[in-house]
Amino acid sequence: MSDQTQPPVDQLAAASLSDAVPKHDFSDRVPIRSILARPDGGSGLAGRRARVGGWVKTGRKQGSGSFAFLEVNDGSCPMNLQVIVDSAVADLGLLVPTGTCVALEGVLKVPPEGTKQKIELRVEEVVHVGPVDPAKYPLPKTKLTLEFLRDVVHLRPKTNTISAVARIRNALAYATHTFFQKHGFLYIHTPIITTSDCEGAGEMFQVTTLISEAERVEKELIKNPPPSEAEIEAAKLLVKEKGEVVAQLKSAKASKADITASVAVLTKAKENLSRLEERFKLKPGIPQKDGKIDYDHDFFARQAFLTVSGQLQVETYACAVSSVYTFGPTFRAENSHTSRHLAEFWMVEPEIAFADLKDDMNCAEAYVKFLCNWLLDNCLDDMDFMAKNFDKTCIDRLRTVASTPFERISYTEAVELLVEAVKGGKQFENKVEWGIDLASEHERYLTEVKFQKPVIVYNYPKGIKAFYMRLNDDSKTVAAMDVLVPKVGELIGGSQREERYEVIRDRILEMGLPLDPYEWYLDLRRYGTVKHCGFGLGFERMILFATGIDNIRDVIPFPRYPGRADL
Amino acid sequence: MSDQTQPPVDQLAAASLSDAVPKHDFSDRVPIRSILARPDGGSGLAGRRARVGGWVKTGRKQGSGSFAFLEVNDGSCPMNLQVIVDSAVADLGLLVPTGTCVALEGVLKVPPEGTKQKIELRVEEVVHVGPVDPAKYPLPKTKLTLEFLRDVVHLRPKTNTISAVARIRNALAYATHTFFQKHGFLYIHTPIITTSDCEGAGEMFQVTTLISEAERVEKELIKNPPPSEAEIEAAKLLVKEKGEVVAQLKSAKASKADITASVAVLTKAKENLSRLEERFKLKPGIPQKDGKIDYDHDFFARQAFLTVSGQLQVETYACAVSSVYTFGPTFRAENSHTSRHLAEFWMVEPEIAFADLKDDMNCAEAYVKFLCNWLLDNCLDDMDFMAKNFDKTCIDRLRTVASTPFERISYTEAVELLVEAVKGGKQFENKVEWGIDLASEHERYLTEVKFQKPVIVYNYPKGIKAFYMRLNDDSKTVAAMDVLVPKVGELIGGSQREERYEVIRDRILEMGLPLDPYEWYLDLRRYGTVKHCGFGLGFERMILFATGIDNIRDVIPFPRYPGRADL
């Protein structure tokens, strides 16, 4: 660290751009956002020195190669900074290829009249170049499909779309934390590896060390074969002999030293035997007991899975510290190849004590509205990009949802409305009948056609919902609710939880489930039970809703689905 | 939802306590924090009506059973609200057991002179009771050890210690997001399921559906046995016969209808054969190919693991959108039973583009200081509890770390200091020698004894560090750094990453690693490479550091370690 005593370059830059860069990010360049995302578009910074760093989106030589224009983007905002480099300053051929990394120092100037830019950088020094061979670069400047980009998941953040999605996703994540913290909720890290099943949530991935352990044993046995039965027998015989020697010496009242020595020999023989017996038991393959896999040998001494929901676990905290939420990855090992499902996705799950279904709906509505307003307040430039390139209605959709009260109808009313629609000529592929779950097309009809705004459907038939949802007084429905929104349909699913010990125990039995795995969950009702409720929001669904992007694989940095887990 | 038109109770409560409850949490009670965590201790609220809800910490009947005092806690703060219930209002015997859940409505009053409380609630209505049978309650009022509580992981949040840890953990998580957002970092969700190995980070858990799939096939084969070879042969014969029929009809120039009919019969026979052949291939057990497990049949069509670090993946974003961070669960399948290791734990990993090791150290120091200040500003009541019950120095430690510049010394200097210490009579169990990693005792000596403040050790010998760390000009050391703090030793490990394509390729080969799995990582250096750095902070270590709690199993809600994964 010979340069540790030199003044860091970022301080120089910050000094020259101090009003624009109140929050530096520990790098030695100023974020382009701090220049361009100002009300004046950056023009007020004319005359200032700045060091910027980023990647060339477009580069072209001009004036017979005497200078070059570069459009530079550093990911801090969707806008590119225009940069002018003179051929005296650098080898322009090295700078112009798309994807080239550059760190540049220069002076901000107002460009000539009639250009789009409000400010540009006249480069005086090229501090760094990370070159690109255009012949080999996997992301040529031509318009690339999102499908193509899924095959270069490690480079796709360099594209305008995926970087805009990253900024929107980041904004929604921080908005989520801000909303719940503001309302006094505690963020609880529920476990990823679980031995509980959130009943009915779906197929689970298994987490194990048995396979790698079996492979290790297999290799070890090849390198170092196990003892034969004859070797074991010989070792047993030796123990017997040495034992007899000890007995003889003792009965002959031999000297203490002789007895001690013979005991030591016996101990050694016994140790050798038990070592051999241990190795004799080593078998290739996954350990079995009674024809089944013996999970006593697995890492957690039992079968373990990846969580499908943190709800049941976070309830242990709601029933102790009141309002809580989880926000973490969840998993489904389902072989579904749709544009709406991932094997690994993120869920937001609040859980509220001393609250019922109405409170749950109030919270869900306030949260979704908060997210919409947050994007409008903090990501309008990225939303403009989305409106231009993917879904021209996406900004209006955010505004509508943020400002309109959500419609609230019971499941029974929803079915009536759908039956009416069918009578009026509307065709659905799936049957509409009280007692059957609403299909996606029904949900989309209610929110997109019938009400044209978010709809909360509540009080579902108990037969189609999980055991933990609170039984209503009609004994036919449970206090469940789904929030349906235009573009994606179901965004949120929640319920008031059954807090009555006898009722929930009966519901578990009624559904043919064993009580034993739920004893801990029943304890929450046995000891100081509390009225409580909660919901889950599929985080990627919210991003689809916000951006108008169609495929869920494009709104998570590293999508996992059947046959695919790159990196 | 018959009550939907009634004014929600929480609005009534908020109205009567409006200045104290600016941020309600969607429940129908006011958080006790909003009463007691005021500068006046709540006395200014005397005369207000309030509905509170929580769990009884201590209850005792007084005045020959004519009234009862309850200490009620709702998790919103460490303080209990004192509550007085008259026997005319409720069955006091039901209310006083520790652990009972109560929702109570009443009027806040200033208690008589000479009592500890600044405010208490005179109850007028008991809205809810969630009773406890004290004979069965697993958490009696006696002081329980943290070790005992690990066996009742679903109830332990009801204790003062675990709920205080939950609030501190929550505060540190939100502080983490706030710090990085403030500095312009984007939060990136790196994958949990991974097919990459962050070299050298440790043993990995395997994620698979092969075992459950094998079990499914096994059951299916018992219910519905596979075809015999004779059945297959018969089906083959049938296909042959039907094929001949088609051929004969064609050569005999039979009618189109006859040929079509015979082709249909042939097609059916072929389908039947392929169905039988498919089922014939079904074998119990995990699918094998060439004596090895055939991962083509696993969910992702390849071997998959739980991540040990998000670093390599988050670099793909740093090399595209500059400053980023991950904050998520990571995993180690190591059979370690220490008080410092978990199989599942959370890590914070920022990655900064256009930045070197010095910037990395600046960021790490600023982040740790920010966390300390945040706790002092937001969690002083919980920190007081920790100081009183676990570590009387913990608040001073936060203050020292927040206000003192971290010492920065090279690894070489660190070794010199340790050698000096040994010469001066200090005894270490582990050898001190240039080229060997520092042991925990050495780290503790440097931070706790020698400097008595956080120490950053940088420029480690390349032989003991990972391939991705940037080679220094001396060709002997790499630009790595560890932050050591009193109480826990290593809290942060980081480095500048090797951005030079040839150098990193050579380092991979030098370490005997295959290039192929790292081709995507090399692409980041091939196309627009950028100077960058980053670090990882073990989130639970930070909580141990802050609270003074000794065992890492007590600072995560659901600890996972060998043999144990409750819930």
Side-chain angles (χ1 to χ4, degrees), chain B residues 128-144:
Chain B
H128 163 78
V129 182
V132 158
D133 177 350
K136 294 185 183 165
Y137 190 50
L139 299 177
K141 233 183 70 186
T142 52
K143 185 130 178 137
L144 305 163

PDB file of all heavy atoms in Angstrom, chain B residues 128-144:
ATOM      1  N   HIS B 128     -59.190  -9.507  25.195  1.00  0.00           N
ATOM      2  CA  HIS B 128     -58.793 -10.866  24.790  1.00  0.00           C
ATOM      3  C   HIS B 128     -57.889 -11.467  25.851  1.00  0.00           C
ATOM      4  O   HIS B 128     -57.060 -10.774  26.439  1.00  0.00           O
ATOM      5  CB  HIS B 128     -58.047 -10.814  23.454  1.00  0.00           C
ATOM      6  CG  HIS B 128     -57.264 -12.068  23.150  1.00  0.00           C
ATOM      7  ND1 HIS B 128     -57.852 -13.231  22.682  1.00  0.00           N
ATOM      8  CD2 HIS B 128     -55.938 -12.355  23.266  1.00  0.00           C
ATOM      9  CE1 HIS B 128     -56.923 -14.166  22.519  1.00  0.00           C
ATOM     10  NE2 HIS B 128     -55.753 -13.656  22.864  1.00  0.00           N
ATOM     11  N   VAL B 129     -58.067 -12.762  26.065  1.00  0.00           N
ATOM     12  CA  VAL B 129     -57.124 -13.515  26.895  1.00  0.00           C
ATOM     13  C   VAL B 129     -56.716 -14.767  26.135  1.00  0.00           C
ATOM     14  O   VAL B 129     -57.560 -15.533  25.672  1.00  0.00           O
ATOM     15  CB  VAL B 129     -57.734 -13.943  28.245  1.00  0.00           C
ATOM     16  CG1 VAL B 129     -56.701 -14.688  29.095  1.00  0.00           C
ATOM     17  CG2 VAL B 129     -58.275 -12.745  29.007  1.00  0.00           C
ATOM     18  N   GLY B 130     -55.435 -14.975  26.001  1.00  0.00           N
ATOM     19  CA  GLY B 130     -54.888 -16.236  25.488  1.00  0.00           C
ATOM     20  C   GLY B 130     -54.228 -16.906  26.684  1.00  0.00           C
ATOM     21  O   GLY B 130     -53.117 -16.547  27.052  1.00  0.00           O
ATOM     22  N   PRO B 131     -54.910 -17.842  27.306  1.00  0.00           N
ATOM     23  CA  PRO B 131     -54.464 -18.332  28.608  1.00  0.00           C
ATOM     24  C   PRO B 131     -53.236 -19.254  28.541  1.00  0.00           C
ATOM     25  O   PRO B 131     -52.866 -19.736  27.471  1.00  0.00           O
ATOM     26  CB  PRO B 131     -55.677 -19.100  29.129  1.00  0.00           C
ATOM     27  CG  PRO B 131     -56.400 -19.540  27.906  1.00  0.00           C
ATOM     28  CD  PRO B 131     -56.135 -18.525  26.835  1.00  0.00           C
ATOM     29  N   VAL B 132     -52.650 -19.477  29.688  1.00  0.00           N
ATOM     30  CA  VAL B 132     -51.504 -20.382  29.847  1.00  0.00           C
ATOM     31  C   VAL B 132     -51.749 -21.246  31.076  1.00  0.00           C
ATOM     32  O   VAL B 132     -52.170 -20.733  32.118  1.00  0.00           O
ATOM     33  CB  VAL B 132     -50.202 -19.565  30.024  1.00  0.00           C
ATOM     34  CG1 VAL B 132     -49.131 -20.386  30.714  1.00  0.00           C
ATOM     35  CG2 VAL B 132     -49.683 -19.059  28.692  1.00  0.00           C
ATOM     36  N   ASP B 133     -51.515 -22.525  30.926  1.00  0.00           N
ATOM     37  CA  ASP B 133     -51.546 -23.407  32.091  1.00  0.00           C
ATOM     38  C   ASP B 133     -50.130 -23.437  32.665  1.00  0.00           C
ATOM     39  O   ASP B 133     -49.229 -24.023  32.071  1.00  0.00           O
ATOM     40  CB  ASP B 133     -51.976 -24.808  31.652  1.00  0.00           C
ATOM     41  CG  ASP B 133     -51.956 -25.798  32.811  1.00  0.00           C
ATOM     42  OD1 ASP B 133     -51.430 -25.451  33.892  1.00  0.00           O
ATOM     43  OD2 ASP B 133     -52.467 -26.912  32.629  1.00  0.00           O
ATOM     44  N   PRO B 134     -49.930 -22.771  33.825  1.00  0.00           N
ATOM     45  CA  PRO B 134     -48.550 -22.626  34.333  1.00  0.00           C
ATOM     46  C   PRO B 134     -47.886 -23.975  34.600  1.00  0.00           C
ATOM     47  O   PRO B 134     -46.664 -24.084  34.522  1.00  0.00           O
ATOM     48  CB  PRO B 134     -48.726 -21.861  35.650  1.00  0.00           C
ATOM     49  CG  PRO B 134     -50.131 -21.363  35.657  1.00  0.00           C
ATOM     50  CD  PRO B 134     -50.935 -22.218  34.745  1.00  0.00           C
ATOM     51  N   ALA B 135     -48.679 -25.005  34.852  1.00  0.00           N
ATOM     52  CA  ALA B 135     -48.096 -26.320  35.124  1.00  0.00           C
ATOM     53  C   ALA B 135     -47.456 -26.914  33.882  1.00  0.00           C
ATOM     54  O   ALA B 135     -46.563 -27.759  33.970  1.00  0.00           O
ATOM     55  CB  ALA B 135     -49.170 -27.261  35.655  1.00  0.00           C
ATOM     56  N   LYS B 136     -47.926 -26.479  32.725  1.00  0.00           N
ATOM     57  CA  LYS B 136     -47.403 -27.056  31.471  1.00  0.00           C
ATOM     58  C   LYS B 136     -46.492 -26.100  30.695  1.00  0.00           C
ATOM     59  O   LYS B 136     -45.809 -26.517  29.763  1.00  0.00           O
ATOM     60  CB  LYS B 136     -48.579 -27.438  30.567  1.00  0.00           C
ATOM     61  CG  LYS B 136     -49.429 -28.571  31.129  1.00  0.00           C
ATOM     62  CD  LYS B 136     -50.499 -28.970  30.133  1.00  0.00           C
ATOM     63  CE  LYS B 136     -51.420 -30.049  30.697  1.00  0.00           C
ATOM     64  NZ  LYS B 136     -52.645 -30.189  29.896  1.00  0.00           N
ATOM     65  N   TYR B 137     -46.515 -24.814  31.009  1.00  0.00           N
ATOM     66  CA  TYR B 137     -45.791 -23.823  30.207  1.00  0.00           C
ATOM     67  C   TYR B 137     -44.288 -24.118  30.215  1.00  0.00           C
ATOM     68  O   TYR B 137     -43.668 -24.201  31.279  1.00  0.00           O
ATOM     69  CB  TYR B 137     -46.065 -22.422  30.770  1.00  0.00           C
ATOM     70  CG  TYR B 137     -45.568 -21.292  29.899  1.00  0.00           C
ATOM     71  CD1 TYR B 137     -45.870 -21.248  28.541  1.00  0.00           C
ATOM     72  CD2 TYR B 137     -44.811 -20.249  30.434  1.00  0.00           C
ATOM     73  CE1 TYR B 137     -45.430 -20.195  27.752  1.00  0.00           C
ATOM     74  CE2 TYR B 137     -44.368 -19.198  29.647  1.00  0.00           C
ATOM     75  CZ  TYR B 137     -44.676 -19.177  28.307  1.00  0.00           C
ATOM     76  OH  TYR B 137     -44.231 -18.141  27.521  1.00  0.00           O
ATOM     77  N   PRO B 138     -43.705 -24.279  29.012  1.00  0.00           N
ATOM     78  CA  PRO B 138     -42.286 -24.687  28.953  1.00  0.00           C
ATOM     79  C   PRO B 138     -41.297 -23.598  29.370  1.00  0.00           C
ATOM     80  O   PRO B 138     -40.101 -23.886  29.480  1.00  0.00           O
ATOM     81  CB  PRO B 138     -42.078 -25.041  27.479  1.00  0.00           C
ATOM     82  CG  PRO B 138     -43.447 -25.198  26.894  1.00  0.00           C
ATOM     83  CD  PRO B 138     -44.322 -24.276  27.680  1.00  0.00           C
ATOM     84  N   LEU B 139     -41.762 -22.368  29.566  1.00  0.00           N
ATOM     85  CA  LEU B 139     -40.840 -21.287  29.926  1.00  0.00           C
ATOM     86  C   LEU B 139     -41.226 -20.685  31.285  1.00  0.00           C
ATOM     87  O   LEU B 139     -41.746 -19.575  31.351  1.00  0.00           O
ATOM     88  CB  LEU B 139     -40.878 -20.171  28.869  1.00  0.00           C
ATOM     89  CG  LEU B 139     -40.472 -20.534  27.446  1.00  0.00           C
ATOM     90  CD1 LEU B 139     -40.642 -19.326  26.526  1.00  0.00           C
ATOM     91  CD2 LEU B 139     -39.037 -21.019  27.393  1.00  0.00           C
ATOM     92  N   PRO B 140     -40.968 -21.416  32.356  1.00  0.00           N
ATOM     93  CA  PRO B 140     -41.301 -20.877  33.675  1.00  0.00           C
ATOM     94  C   PRO B 140     -40.520 -19.602  33.942  1.00  0.00           C
ATOM     95  O   PRO B 140     -39.539 -19.306  33.256  1.00  0.00           O
ATOM     96  CB  PRO B 140     -40.876 -21.988  34.622  1.00  0.00           C
ATOM     97  CG  PRO B 140     -39.852 -22.771  33.881  1.00  0.00           C
ATOM     98  CD  PRO B 140     -40.248 -22.686  32.437  1.00  0.00           C
ATOM     99  N   LYS B 141     -40.971 -18.845  34.945  1.00  0.00           N
ATOM    100  CA  LYS B 141     -40.398 -17.520  35.172  1.00  0.00           C
ATOM    101  C   LYS B 141     -38.951 -17.540  35.667  1.00  0.00           C
ATOM    102  O   LYS B 141     -38.275 -16.523  35.623  1.00  0.00           O
ATOM    103  CB  LYS B 141     -41.264 -16.741  36.177  1.00  0.00           C
ATOM    104  CG  LYS B 141     -41.697 -15.394  35.676  1.00  0.00           C
ATOM    105  CD  LYS B 141     -42.487 -14.636  36.710  1.00  0.00           C
ATOM    106  CE  LYS B 141     -41.654 -14.166  37.871  1.00  0.00           C
ATOM    107  NZ  LYS B 141     -42.462 -13.564  38.932  1.00  0.00           N
ATOM    108  N   THR B 142     -38.500 -18.704  36.100  1.00  0.00           N
ATOM    109  CA  THR B 142     -37.115 -18.792  36.574  1.00  0.00           C
ATOM    110  C   THR B 142     -36.153 -18.467  35.436  1.00  0.00           C
ATOM    111  O   THR B 142     -36.493 -18.593  34.269  1.00  0.00           O
ATOM    112  CB  THR B 142     -36.806 -20.213  37.057  1.00  0.00           C
ATOM    113  OG1 THR B 142     -37.182 -21.118  36.012  1.00  0.00           O
ATOM    114  CG2 THR B 142     -37.563 -20.547  38.313  1.00  0.00           C
ATOM    115  N   LYS B 143     -34.963 -18.063  35.802  1.00  0.00           N
ATOM    116  CA  LYS B 143     -33.959 -17.691  34.795  1.00  0.00           C
ATOM    117  C   LYS B 143     -33.563 -18.943  33.991  1.00  0.00           C
ATOM    118  O   LYS B 143     -33.123 -19.943  34.554  1.00  0.00           O
ATOM    119  CB  LYS B 143     -32.743 -17.071  35.494  1.00  0.00           C
ATOM    120  CG  LYS B 143     -31.717 -16.541  34.526  1.00  0.00           C
ATOM    121  CD  LYS B 143     -31.287 -15.109  34.851  1.00  0.00           C
ATOM    122  CE  LYS B 143     -30.216 -14.695  33.850  1.00  0.00           C
ATOM    123  NZ  LYS B 143     -30.377 -13.371  33.330  1.00  0.00           N
ATOM    124  N   LEU B 144     -33.741 -18.866  32.683  1.00  0.00           N
ATOM    125  CA  LEU B 144     -33.466 -20.002  31.813  1.00  0.00           C
ATOM    126  C   LEU B 144     -32.140 -19.778  31.095  1.00  0.00           C
ATOM    127  O   LEU B 144     -31.841 -18.667  30.679  1.00  0.00           O
ATOM    128  CB  LEU B 144     -34.586 -20.139  30.789  1.00  0.00           C
ATOM    129  CG  LEU B 144     -35.997 -20.251  31.394  1.00  0.00           C
ATOM    130  CD1 LEU B 144     -37.057 -19.970  30.350  1.00  0.00           C
ATOM    131  CD2 LEU B 144     -36.188 -21.610  32.030  1.00  0.00           C
TER     132      LEU B 144
END
